[in-house]
Amino acid sequence: AAGNQKYVVIVKENKVMLELVTLFSYLFCAFLILSAIAWVLRLLLQFKLKLFTLYSSIQLSIKQQVHSTVIFFSVFSFLVIGLATILFFINRYKTNNIETLSRTIKKINETISTNVNFIALQQTNINFSEINNSEAQTLINSLSQVYGLDINLYNTGGKLYASSLPLPYQKGIVSIAMHPMAFFHLKEKNEIIFYQNEEIGTLQFASMYIPLGKTIGENIGYINIPYFTSQVKLKDEISNFLITIINLNAFIFLIAGIVALIITNRITNSFSIISDKMKQINVGKHNDPIIWHRKDEIGTLVKEYNKMLAKLDKSAAALAQTERENAWQEMAKQVAHEIKNPLTPMKLSMQYLQKSIDADAPNIKELAAKVSATLVQQIDYLSNIAGEFSRFANIENNKPEIFNVIETLQSLQQLYAADSNHTINWKYNNTAVLIFADKTHINRILTNLILNGIQAVPTDKHPTITIVQTVDDKNVKISITDNGTGINEEAISKIFTPNFTTKTSGTGLGLAMCKRMVEQANGNINFVTSHTGTTFNVSLPLYKN
């Protein structure tokens, strides 16, 4: 209780929600600023402060570009709106101060002009400290309380005559002389009102001057109103505005970031669909078009992609047809060449036999036997050629099954054990190794590679073949090494090409068939060669239950 029947009630507005929002806004803005600074410092340290290298190395993705653009324009709009609004506040306050002070100082002028004796005011030699109890001083104190403003009254010489706040002048903190710029505009230029911003030390304030008199042009003194609270109010209003706009922009940044994330995800997801489809394009197989229902920029891109896909399918079909025709033409040429080779000695042998029969040669029986042997040999050669081309043509008709590849190695070891013309070293584990492939194909691959290795050794050197089998977590590897002279550099790139051979006889289909059969088993075949020999490596995937 403040007294009898009187109470003092202290009330504080509840601003908990506003304070929480403001705290969140400040923390969010601080987080954004610190994140930006950390990102810039990381880039500078990463590129060792080489700005040119940094500039050339930064490549923003579409998602980052959209994010950066949205955030940039949010920050830019915040700065523009904030700056424009602050300038508006400053101009509005200046205008309001001028209007308010102008109306007030005119009323004060009327009151002073009516109630003060101006004779003393016109005496410029009167000391300011001697007039504290004058009629003018009393009236100014009264008007200062009424209007809530400080009032200074100067005489015609620009010396302070009376003031509602005399202490700074009496202590010598502020000069008792009128501001020279104001005195010049009112005295010399005969202006009826003058407004300017003044300062005392670090204190800034607005100040208005007007000539004292009942009529315009009458100059019997000067009235001054220093408005000390204007800058404080302006700063308060600017501060309140900045707090509000920071709160709003924090949420705008947050919403803009979410919207940018949604937009960029939608755009990048659309590009991801197209990218995934493009990765799945397989020439020679059916490629599904992209289904897109919206008629936007992505839809235009999808439409062009589907057109390109249709053209690609047609081109692939035409290319495949051309390749098939070329392959059959090459095959026909090779078959004709291989068949022509034995036909020539067969024809010559038959012509020689026919000529001997016509001449009734005495050794006709022996000659017929030799010709028959030659014909049988060439017919066997033709049969082998036909078999090779038949197997090559039917290589795609594989019949995969689960079997133990160790058993295949053991059967091959037994097959070659009785031949003393070469030496084969076998190194494999007896533990079962299961694979899923065509058993006949695997047998043919290994047989072909062993024979190639034996044939690669010069005739003056004893062939020695080393076969090594190893197993890892996923594959079984079989390496076949000969002790020949290796493969020359020109033949390395063509070794698996059909119809290519380094031997004087043969179709050149053996290694091409080996490569294709290994690929059908989802395996891999490669070789390493040097002047001391060649190693062919066959890797096949293990069968997993």
Side-chain angles (χ1 to χ4, degrees):
N4 189 22
Q5 301 295 328
K6 294 182 180 179
Y7 294 90
V8 176
V9 179
I10 301 175
V11 180
K12 180 182 179 182
E13 184 180 357
N14 187 358
K15 297 182 179 180
V16 176
M17 192 63 188
L18 179 61
E19 291 174 354
L20 290 176
V21 172
T22 304
L23 178 62
F24 167 78
S25 303
Y26 285 165
L27 292 177
F28 182 72
C29 293
F31 170 76
L32 291 179
I33 294 172
L34 291 176
S35 299
I37 294 173
W39 181 74
V40 172
L41 291 177
R42 182 182 66 83
L43 288 179
L44 292 175
L45 292 176
Q46 180 179 354
F47 292 94
K48 299 179 180 179
L49 302 178
K50 296 180 180 179
L51 297 180
F52 179 77
T53 305
L54 174 64
Y55 176 77
S56 60
S57 301
I58 294 178
Q59 298 292 334
L60 297 179
S61 64
I62 294 177
K63 180 182 291 187
Q64 292 172 332
Q65 291 178 25
V66 174
H67 268 135
S68 302
T69 303
V70 172
I71 298 300
F72 169 76
F73 279 107
S74 298
V75 174
F76 181 74
S77 62
F78 163 72
L79 295 176
V80 171
I81 293 173
L83 181 61
T85 306
I86 290 173
L87 293 176
F88 169 75
F89 283 159
I90 294 174
N91 291 330
R92 189 188 66 176
Y93 258 91
K94 183 177 180 180
T95 303
N96 290 342
N97 287 341
I98 292 175
E99 292 178 356
T100 303
L101 292 178
S102 177
R103 289 194 300 268
T104 305
I105 203 169
K106 287 178 181 179
K107 292 180 181 179
I108 293 173
N109 182 29
E110 293 175 0
T111 304
I112 295 175
S113 300
T114 305
N115 297 281
V116 173
N117 181 6
F118 301 115
I119 298 175
L121 186 63
Q122 294 176 357
Q123 298 177 3
T124 57
N125 57 348
I126 296 178
N127 193 342
F128 171 64
S129 60
E130 298 175 355
I131 59 173
N132 290 337
N133 296 322
S134 67
E135 178 185 1
Q137 182 67 49
T138 304
L139 180 59
I140 285 177
N141 291 337
S142 175
L143 291 174
S144 176
Q145 293 179 359
V146 171
Y147 291 103
L149 295 170
D150 293 314
I151 303 172
N152 296 323
L153 182 60
Y154 294 92
N155 60 22
T156 56
K159 300 296 182 179
L160 185 65
Y161 182 78
S163 175
S164 62
L165 189 64
L167 186 61
Y169 301 97
Q170 293 173 348
K171 296 294 184 180
I173 298 174
V174 184
S175 173
I176 62 173
M178 184 177 169
H179 195 283
M181 189 61 66
F183 186 76
F184 172 76
H185 279 268
L186 297 180
K187 180 72 174 178
E188 301 298 332
K189 290 190 174 184
N190 296 320
E191 294 182 8
I192 61 173
I193 194 167
F194 179 75
Y195 174 89
Q196 70 175 1
N197 291 320
E198 298 179 6
E199 59 184 25
I200 302 175
T202 58
L203 176 63
Q204 295 182 348
F205 58 94
S207 184
M208 178 166 281
Y209 297 83
I210 189 174
L212 177 61
K214 295 181 180 180
T215 61
I216 297 176
E218 184 181 10
N219 189 0
I220 55 176
Y222 304 99
I223 301 175
N224 167 237
I225 298 179
Y227 190 33
F228 293 102
T229 59
S230 60
Q231 292 295 328
V232 177
K233 290 182 179 180
L234 177 60
K235 291 179 180 179
D236 288 342
E237 188 161 349
I238 292 175
S239 299
N240 292 332
F241 166 74
L242 290 177
I243 292 173
T244 303
I245 198 171
I246 288 174
N247 290 338
L248 291 175
N249 276 274
F251 287 99
I252 290 174
F253 290 161
L254 188 61
I255 295 172
I258 295 173
V259 171
L261 180 64
I262 294 173
I263 294 174
T264 52
N265 284 340
R266 181 176 177 182
I267 295 174
T268 53
N269 288 339
S270 302
F271 285 128
S272 297
I273 295 173
I274 299 175
S275 176
D276 293 339
K277 284 291 185 179
M278 293 182 73
K279 290 177 182 178
Q280 296 173 5
I281 291 178
N282 195 339
V283 179
K285 294 185 179 180
H286 176 69
N287 298 298
D288 295 326
I290 300 176
I291 306 301
W292 194 266
H293 301 290
R294 293 190 294 272
K295 295 182 179 180
D296 52 9
E297 290 80 1
I298 302 296
T300 304
L301 181 61
V302 168
K303 183 178 179 181
E304 295 300 322
Y305 166 82
N306 291 336
K307 287 182 180 179
M308 180 203 69
L309 203 63
K311 293 178 181 179
L312 180 63
D313 289 340
K314 292 180 181 179
S315 300
L319 180 61
Q321 179 66 24
T322 304
E323 288 180 348
R324 284 194 295 268
E325 292 176 356
N326 291 337
W328 280 112
Q329 289 175 1
E330 291 296 325
M331 188 65 67
K333 291 179 182 178
Q334 185 68 16
V335 171
H337 175 73
E338 295 295 335
I339 291 176
K340 186 177 180 181
N341 287 338
L343 286 179
T344 300
M346 291 171 67
K347 179 180 178 181
L348 293 175
S349 297
M350 290 299 296
Q351 288 176 346
Y352 181 69
L353 179 61
Q354 183 66 42
K355 185 177 180 181
S356 299
I357 292 174
D358 293 340
D360 196 14
N363 59 343
I364 191 68
K365 186 179 279 190
E366 296 177 1
L367 187 60
K370 290 181 180 180
V371 171
S372 298
T374 300
L375 291 176
V376 170
Q377 181 183 6
Q378 298 301 323
I379 289 171
D380 289 339
Y381 180 62
L382 286 173
S383 178
N384 289 334
I385 292 173
E388 286 288 328
F389 281 106
S390 177
R391 284 190 292 272
F392 185 76
N394 295 314
I395 196 172
E396 302 296 331
N397 299 325
N398 63 327
K399 297 179 181 179
E401 59 179 301
I402 303 170
F403 67 95
N404 184 5
V405 73
I406 301 300
E407 295 177 355
T408 302
L409 293 174
Q410 291 172 344
S411 64
L412 289 173
Q413 183 178 9
Q414 294 174 2
L415 178 65
Y416 287 98
D419 195 340
S420 60
N421 293 325
H422 51 259
T423 301
I424 301 180
N425 301 317
W426 301 85
K427 298 179 182 180
Y428 57 86
N429 299 322
N430 290 322
T431 307
V433 179
L434 300 180
I435 63 173
F436 183 71
D438 190 310
K439 190 173 183 179
T440 304
H441 283 183
I442 302 302
N443 197 333
R444 190 182 302 170
I445 292 167
L446 298 177
T447 302
N448 200 340
L449 293 176
I450 293 171
L451 289 176
N452 280 355
I454 294 172
Q455 294 172 0
V457 180
T459 56
D460 59 345
K461 192 175 183 181
H462 181 73
T464 300
I465 308 299
T466 302
I467 300 175
V468 180
Q469 172 262 328
T470 56
V471 179
D472 58 23
D473 294 337
K474 297 181 179 180
N475 301 290
V476 55
K477 181 180 177 182
I478 302 173
S479 301
I480 302 171
T481 305
D482 62 56
N483 61 334
T485 58
I487 303 171
N488 62 63
E489 189 174 350
E490 295 179 357
I492 289 178
S493 61
K494 304 176 183 178
I495 202 69
F496 292 114
T497 304
N499 304 328
F500 175 78
T501 180
T502 58
K503 296 178 285 188
T504 57
S505 62
T507 61
L509 299 176
L511 288 176
M513 286 193 295
C514 288
K515 179 177 175 61
R516 183 61 190 140
M517 288 186 288
V518 170
E519 290 175 347
Q520 284 183 336
N522 296 320
N524 179 50
I525 183 172
N526 56 67
F527 66 93
V528 179
T529 186
S530 68
H531 66 281
T532 59
T534 301
T535 299
F536 278 88
N537 301 304
V538 177
S539 179
L540 300 168
L542 297 174
Y543 174 74
K544 300 291 184 180
N545 293 326

